[in-house]
Amino acid sequence: MKEGNVLFSEERIKRRVRELAVEITRDYAGKPLTVVAVLKGSVRFLHDLLDCLGEHLTVELIEASSYGDRTNSSGSVLIRSYGQLRVSGRDVLVVDDIADTGLTLQSVVSEIETRGARSVRTCVLLDKPSRRRVPLEPDYRGFTIGDVFVVGYGLDYAGRFRDLPYIALLRPTEKAR
Ligand code: 5GP
Ligand code: MG
């Protein structure tokens, strides 16, 4: 990955994640919170958020996939939970890497509501509002970006680049490699 492709540096991301955590901590004001993280893209974001979020917290993990190895949403979302997804009666914060079409978050939120959560909010590191296909507005967002494909900080292209500590643009010519 070339340096010129970097969109958000590691330092900038960490700073923004800390700000989000402060906002979340203030909004929930010591109430027990259940974080539901959408794997795999959110792993790094989750890790850094948990570093800054207070106590009274439980974490549930789910996996949602709609992309496969392509860079366009297939439109159908598959949700898999790891163990029981304990959200009944809880205040839930869904954490994902990015809101693109919004289909993933919409499915996850509706699944959690069906399971009887007391409240559900969403938190994404990145938001691509211009790509939205359903009316979904994240409650917490790190950065708003245009219609570009990004990798790094947990986000992959066909399984690659998740390990990058920063977020970079993946140019069409780099997709073939
Ligand atoms: P949505 O359901 O909102 O269309 O898409 C959500 C999922 O698509 C994200 O959680 C992410 O896994 C994937 N996705 C959307 N845009 C990008 C992108 O620019 N880069 C990468 N690596 N994944 C993306
Ligand atoms: Mg994802």
Side-chain angles (χ1 to χ4, degrees):
M1 186 57 59
K2 294 189 210 75
E3 220 166 277
N5 291 11
V6 176
L7 201 57
F8 301 109
S9 68
E10 185 173 3
E11 292 69 34
R12 191 155 169 217
I13 297 169
K14 295 241 151 125
R15 214 180 319 130
R16 187 67 190 121
V17 172
R18 272 196 297 273
E19 288 171 2
L20 287 176
V22 168
E23 229 184 291
I24 293 163
T25 306
R26 192 193 53 213
D27 291 355
Y28 287 91
K31 274 194 278 179
L33 176 65
T34 297
V35 170
V36 174
V38 184
L39 298 176
K40 300 171 185 165
S42 70
V43 276
R44 219 163 177 139
F45 184 33
L46 174 70
H47 172 272
D48 290 348
L49 258 186
L50 291 181
D51 266 353
C52 323
L53 283 179
E55 304 150 23
H56 313 298
L57 199 112
T58 53
V59 178
E60 300 283 342
L61 301 176
I62 62 173
E63 188 164 357
S65 30
S66 66
Y67 257 73
D69 281 354
R70 293 167 301 127
T71 54
N72 268 305
S73 179
S74 63
S76 65
V77 180
L78 206 84
I79 300 176
R80 188 148 58 102
S81 85
Y82 291 87
Q84 288 173 41
L85 182 56
R86 292 193 191 81
V87 292
S88 175
R90 309 269 177 102
D91 291 305
V92 174
L93 182 67
V94 178
V95 170
D96 203 355
D97 49 6
I98 186 165
D100 185 29
T101 63
L103 290 162
T104 302
L105 280 175
Q106 189 190 52
S107 303
V108 171
V109 166
S110 109
E111 173 72 25
I112 289 169
E113 281 171 346
T114 304
R115 287 168 181 254
R118 197 158 74 128
S119 72
V120 190
R121 284 187 188 164
T122 55
C123 173
V124 294
L125 181 69
L126 300 168
D127 189 16
K128 286 191 208 174
S130 65
R131 297 251 314 157
R132 211 70 98 242
R133 279 164 56 186
V134 290
L136 184 125
E137 179 82 9
D139 296 289
Y140 305 93
R141 71 166 68 74
F143 305 101
T144 300
I145 59 173
D147 184 5
V148 290
F149 193 81
V150 294
V151 293
Y153 194 74
L155 291 125
D156 75 311
Y157 171 65
R160 293 172 61 206
F161 306 116
R162 283 195 207 281
D163 52 311
L164 299 178
Y166 51 83
I167 288 169
L169 283 175
L170 190 70
R171 303 214 165 96
T173 49
E174 281 149 337
K175 284 179 183 158
R177 282 185 220 154

